[in-house]
């Protein structure tokens, strides 16, 4: 475990390399702070012994002014130390967060099938913020406190070695208590991080699926489940609070007892006439003991803060170290496809041993529109996922224009293939930005012209703010049909070489369906198109129909060719589903 923590801390420190100058400056300010802080008690001793006891008012004024200067220097050192340490921490966190987000963005879809979204949100937000505490409240603070303690101990022994020995006698007790406290807090912090992740995952899922929660009247049930998870989170923090409540009073007692012993022993020496101990020593040691024990007490707390940051770093680097889920990209830049697509003996399974596609052979000629039909689970959507390389095939070959898709760079491949999915996802942004997705090559005029062509312009103009209308999260302010029209428009303005449509219309009105039919005809014209067909009109107009069942292509041909097959799969499907619904 210690080795893992050491590795995680080293990985975090690598992100500090671009800020080496600032890192060094923080160390310099830490050294300055420790020196100026330790000088104040010594100056107090000198003031008492040299000028108070001798009634020298001029010398007293001079030393008071000197102490004021040292205090100002200490304040300045404290300011720059804290500011630069936090500044460095935030810049490092910014870099780690950017790398993490870029890394997650390149994962295969299979990774997101198995990992809860709430967990990834926790890693990207709260865990990374905890890493910042390594610099702002952990590592540099510990270094500063240790330097301060070293300087203070040096000054103590320089002033009075006998009194310093009494101070040293009290430190093992505090060090032992600190060690026990650190071990207990480590376990408590790990439990807190686990419960934070569980809480985030639960809340994210329930808020996203709130419609289902309310539709099935599960508010009370989900509330009770939330109370259980929240109680575990609360219990984890209570352990943290308990250990703090025990440790800090013990530290205060050790500090107070040590101070009492110093006053008692030093006072006896002064009364007995021992010149080695002065009133200035007692004044100075009163401050020095607090300055020595407080950092030691706080180091335990700061070690725990740093420990929490390192635990968070371990979680973040667990994600960053995942390589087997990263998409491998080819070297060929796809600039334009003619649109000849081939699936040759393609096999694929989402779960090992459970094949979804069983040796598919499919040919789509450039400019053709093919419709894929079949029962739920036949493998229709899987073909879409594989063509875009959302998932990697188990065996076989998929080519576009006689080039395997694995040879194309992921970005250029997907630029040439546009998809309109059945489940349309819109961001909480304007209609214009949801269409262009901030592509600078697509102007507002291009979007308006495209909207007019596919029949979406009138409905957009009827909205307050028209193309600047904010659709809110997931496009909740629009109907299902309107969201799908936006998705059609998004695909159309990207001017793809290949178009893939999942044109489900089961939940939209007749008028929207007519608009979508017009949009389908417009955007499929002149380009290779693969349509998961849900409408009879699309099926009849397709150049070829692919009929799938249980991961295999069982029939293919035109609508009328397939209808003429006696007891054909498509014929039965047509009369049981399409003809009835139309």
């Amino acid at each position: 475990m210690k080795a893992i923590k050491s590795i995680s801390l080293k990985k975090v420190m690598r992100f500090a390399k671009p800020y080496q100058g600032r890192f060094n400056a923080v160390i310099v300010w830490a050294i300055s702070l420790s020196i100026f802080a330790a000088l104040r008690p010594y100056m107090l001793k000198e003031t008492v012994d040299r000028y108070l006891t001798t009634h020298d008012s001029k010398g007293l004024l001079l030393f008071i002014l000197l102490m004021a200067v040292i205090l100002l220097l200490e304040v300045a050192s404290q300011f720059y130390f804290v500011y630069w340490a936090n500044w460095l921490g935030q810049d490092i966190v910014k870099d780690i967060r950017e790398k993490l987000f870029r890394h997650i963005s390149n994962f295969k879809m299979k990774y997101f099938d198995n990992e809860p979204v709430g967990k990834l949100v926790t890693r990207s937000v709260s865990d990374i913020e905890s890493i910042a505490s390594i610099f702002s409240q952990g590592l540099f603070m510990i270094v500063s406190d240790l330097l301060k303690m070293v300087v203070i101990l040096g000054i103590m022994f320089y002033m009075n070695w006998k009194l310093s020995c009494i101070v040293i006698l009290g430190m093992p007790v505090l060090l032992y208590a600190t060690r026990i406290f650190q071990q207990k807090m480590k376990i408590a912090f790990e439990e807190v991080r686990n419960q934070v992740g569980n809480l985030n995952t639960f809340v994210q899922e329930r808020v996203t699926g709130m419609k289902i929660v309310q539709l099935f009247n599960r508010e009370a049930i989900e509330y009770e489940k939330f109370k259980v998870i929240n109680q575990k989170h609360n219990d984890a923090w209570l352990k943290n609070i308990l250990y703090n409540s025990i440790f800090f009073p013990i530290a205060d007692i050790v500090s107070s007892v040590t101070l009492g012993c110093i006053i008692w022993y030093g006072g006896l020496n002064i009364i007995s006439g021992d010149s080695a101990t002065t009133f200035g020593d007692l004044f100075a040691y009163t401050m020095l003991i607090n300055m020595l024990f407080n950092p030691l007490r706080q180091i335990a707390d700061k070690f725990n803060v740093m420990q929490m940051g390192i635990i968070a770093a371990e979680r973040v680097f667990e994600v960053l170290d995942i390589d087997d889920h990263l998409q491998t990209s080819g070297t060929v830049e796809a600039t334009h496809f003619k649109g000849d697509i081939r699936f040759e003996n393609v096999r694929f399974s989402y779960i090992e041993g459970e094949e979804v596609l069983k040796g598919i052979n499919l040919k789509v000629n450039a400019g053709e529109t093919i419709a894929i039909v079949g029962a739920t689970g036949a493998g229709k959507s899987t073909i879409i996922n594989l063509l875009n390389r959302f998932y990697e095939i188990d065996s076989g070959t998929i080519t576009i224009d006689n080039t395997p898709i694995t040879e194309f760079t992921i970005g250029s491949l997907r630029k040439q293939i546009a998809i309109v999915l059945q489940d349309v996802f819109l961001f909480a942004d304007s209609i214009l930005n949801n269409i262009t997705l901030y592509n600078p090559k697509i102007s507002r005029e291009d979007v308006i012209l495209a909207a007019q062509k596919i029949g979406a312009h009138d409905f957009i103009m009827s909205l307050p703010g028209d193309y600047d209308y904010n659709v809110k999260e997931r496009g909740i302010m629009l109907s299902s049909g309107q969201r799908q029209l936006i998705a059609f428009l998004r695909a159309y303005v990207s001017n793809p070489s290949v178009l893939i449509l999942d044109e489900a219309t089961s939940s939209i009105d007749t008028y929207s369906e007519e608009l979508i039919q017009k949009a389908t005809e417009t955007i499929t014209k002149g380009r290779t198109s693969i349509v998961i067909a849900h409408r009879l009109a699309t099926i009849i107009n397709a150049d070829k129909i692919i009929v799938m069942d249980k991961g295999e292509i069982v029939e293919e041909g035109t609508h009328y060719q397939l209808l003429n097959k006696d007891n054909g799969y498509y014929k039965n499907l047509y009369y049981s589903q399409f003809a009835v619904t139309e």
Side-chain angles (χ1 to χ4, degrees):
M1 188 69 183
K2 288 181 180 179
I4 293 174
K5 286 182 179 180
S6 176
I7 292 169
S8 297
L9 185 57
K10 285 179 181 178
K11 287 181 177 179
V12 172
M13 294 307 294
R14 286 181 197 149
F15 284 87
K17 286 184 178 179
Y19 309 103
Q20 190 63 49
R22 204 185 307 166
F23 185 93
N24 295 337
V26 172
I27 299 298
V28 170
W29 286 119
I31 295 171
S32 300
L33 177 61
S34 62
I35 292 172
F36 292 130
L39 275 177
R40 282 192 295 112
Y42 180 74
M43 294 297 294
L44 177 62
K45 165 192 162 51
E46 292 298 306
T47 302
V48 171
D49 290 341
R50 288 191 184 187
Y51 305 110
L52 282 182
T53 55
T54 59
H55 307 287
D56 184 352
S57 59
K58 290 182 180 180
L60 177 62
L61 178 60
L62 178 63
F63 255 64
I64 292 295
L65 292 174
L66 187 58
M67 288 177 65
V69 171
I70 291 173
L71 179 61
L72 290 174
L73 291 173
E74 182 186 351
V75 169
S77 299
Q78 178 82 19
F79 169 78
Y80 283 109
F81 169 70
V82 173
Y83 180 78
W84 283 45
N86 280 273
W87 181 19
L88 177 62
Q90 287 303 317
D91 277 351
I92 289 172
V93 161
K94 173 180 67 68
D95 293 344
I96 295 175
R97 185 181 284 119
E98 288 175 357
K99 183 174 182 179
L100 178 65
F101 185 81
R102 184 170 61 248
H103 194 70
I104 292 173
S105 299
N106 288 308
F107 280 155
K108 300 172 186 175
M109 285 295 118
K110 189 173 182 180
Y111 177 82
F112 300 102
D113 293 340
N114 300 320
E115 292 294 335
V117 175
K119 173 184 172 181
L120 293 177
V121 171
T122 302
R123 299 293 176 271
S124 303
V125 182
S126 59
D127 279 343
I128 286 189
E129 282 302 322
S130 295
I131 294 175
S133 65
I134 293 176
F135 297 93
S136 61
Q137 302 173 46
L139 180 64
F140 289 130
M141 292 294 180
I142 291 170
V143 169
S144 174
D145 286 344
L146 288 174
L147 284 171
K148 194 181 294 183
M149 290 171 62
V150 169
V151 175
I152 287 170
L153 280 172
I155 289 177
M156 279 183 167
F157 277 97
Y158 175 76
M159 287 169 49
N160 192 314
W161 68 270
K162 293 181 180 179
L163 295 181
S164 299
C165 287
I166 295 175
V167 174
I168 294 296
L169 290 174
M171 292 186 70
V173 177
L174 191 54
L175 287 170
Y176 179 74
T178 300
R179 179 60 181 163
I180 298 298
F181 174 66
Q182 184 183 352
Q183 291 173 345
K184 296 294 184 181
M185 288 298 287
K186 167 184 163 295
I187 298 170
F189 277 137
E190 286 177 344
E191 180 63 19
V192 166
R193 298 313 305 167
N194 287 332
Q195 295 306 326
V196 167
N198 293 338
L199 196 60
N200 283 347
T201 299
F202 184 89
V203 172
Q204 189 274 332
E205 286 182 345
R206 270 57 183 185
V207 171
T208 303
M210 188 56 68
K211 184 179 289 186
I212 299 299
V213 172
Q214 295 184 356
L215 185 63
F216 288 91
N217 196 31
R218 289 184 58 85
E219 294 93 336
I221 296 172
E222 297 299 336
Y223 173 67
E224 291 301 323
K225 290 169 70 176
F226 175 79
K227 282 174 65 177
V228 172
I229 295 174
N230 194 39
Q231 185 60 49
K232 289 181 179 178
H233 177 262
N234 185 59
D235 292 342
W237 271 112
L238 284 176
K239 285 183 182 178
N240 185 306
I241 294 168
L242 174 64
Y243 298 143
N244 276 286
S245 301
I246 295 172
F247 172 74
F248 288 109
I250 290 174
D252 286 338
I253 289 170
V254 172
S255 176
S256 299
V257 169
T258 302
L259 179 59
C261 291
I262 289 291
I263 298 297
W264 173 75
Y265 181 77
L268 287 180
N269 283 345
I270 292 172
I271 292 171
S272 65
D274 184 357
S275 60
T277 304
T278 66
F279 283 106
D281 289 335
L282 297 185
F283 274 98
Y285 270 78
T286 302
M287 292 180 64
L288 287 168
I289 287 172
N290 283 326
M291 292 175 68
L292 181 66
F293 279 61
N294 279 342
L296 188 59
R297 184 183 69 173
Q298 291 168 8
I299 279 176
D301 195 34
K302 288 165 187 173
F303 259 118
N304 288 319
V305 170
M306 192 168 78
Q307 202 166 50
M308 198 167 186
I310 293 173
I311 290 169
E314 288 172 20
R315 296 170 180 271
V316 170
F317 287 116
E318 277 178 14
V319 179
L320 283 173
D321 290 340
I322 294 173
D323 292 326
D324 57 329
H325 283 289
L326 285 174
Q327 295 172 325
T328 54
S329 189
T331 57
V332 178
E333 287 291 327
T335 54
H336 180 74
F337 291 144
K338 288 189 296 183
D340 286 314
I341 300 172
R342 301 286 186 276
F343 281 66
E344 298 177 2
N345 197 28
V346 172
R347 294 182 177 274
F348 173 75
S349 53
Y350 292 103
I351 301 172
E352 189 174 352
E354 299 179 16
E355 277 194 334
V356 178
L357 295 186
K358 304 170 183 177
I360 291 291
N361 288 288
L362 173 63
K363 178 181 179 182
V364 185
N365 296 321
E368 274 189 340
T369 296
I370 70 163
I372 304 178
V373 299
T376 301
K380 304 186 297 294
S381 296
T382 301
I383 288 178
I384 291 176
N385 290 332
L386 296 181
L387 189 58
N388 268 276
R389 291 192 64 195
F390 289 145
Y391 298 86
E392 302 295 345
I393 60 177
D394 298 337
S395 63
T397 308
I398 302 174
T399 64
I400 300 179
D401 295 345
N402 298 318
T403 302
I405 60 173
T406 52
E407 294 186 12
F408 295 113
T409 60
I410 291 285
S412 66
L413 173 69
R414 291 177 180 167
K415 280 182 181 178
Q416 297 303 318
I417 303 175
I419 301 182
V420 178
L421 295 172
Q422 178 179 345
D423 182 20
V424 179
F425 187 93
L426 298 180
F427 296 96
D429 206 333
S430 69
I431 286 179
L432 179 66
N433 291 334
N434 267 290
I435 294 169
T436 66
L437 297 177
Y438 289 92
N439 185 341
K441 295 180 180 179
I442 304 173
S443 67
R444 188 185 187 95
E445 290 70 27
D446 293 334
V447 173
I448 293 173
L449 183 62
Q452 291 170 342
K453 286 183 179 179
I454 71 169
H457 180 70
D458 290 341
F459 107 75
I460 294 174
M461 293 303 294
S462 68
L463 299 171
D466 53 78
Y467 287 87
D468 296 315
Y469 179 67
N470 192 312
V471 299
K472 305 301 181 184
E473 188 173 3
R474 299 185 68 89
I476 193 67
M477 302 305 290
L478 302 179
S479 68
S480 298
Q482 289 172 334
R483 288 197 294 271
Q484 199 162 44
L485 280 171
I486 296 299
F488 272 86
L489 195 49
R490 178 192 286 169
Y492 188 48
V493 297
S494 67
N495 193 26
S497 302
V498 177
L499 183 68
I500 300 174
L501 303 178
D502 188 348
E503 48 143 27
T505 56
S506 58
S507 60
I508 64 176
D509 56 74
T510 305
Y511 175 70
S512 294
E513 186 172 352
E514 291 173 358
L515 288 177
I516 288 170
Q517 181 61 39
K518 177 185 175 182
T520 303
E521 293 171 359
T522 301
I523 67 175
T524 56
K525 189 175 180 180
R527 56 170 56 93
T528 303
S529 303
I530 300 174
V531 184
I532 296 180
H534 301 267
R535 274 189 244 98
L536 182 59
T538 302
I539 297 168
I540 293 174
N541 293 331
D543 297 308
K544 184 166 55 179
I545 299 169
I546 306 298
V547 185
M548 296 191 67
D549 182 42
K550 298 177 182 177
E552 298 178 312
I553 295 176
V554 293
E555 292 176 351
E556 61 179 276
T558 66
H559 172 68
Y560 296 106
Q561 288 172 342
L562 295 175
L563 276 184
N564 288 328
K565 282 190 175 183
D566 292 334
N567 200 30
Y569 189 97
Y570 175 78
K571 186 175 182 179
N572 294 331
L573 185 68
Y574 170 75
Y575 284 115
S576 64
Q577 179 178 338
F578 294 111
V580 173
T581 56
E582 293 292 336

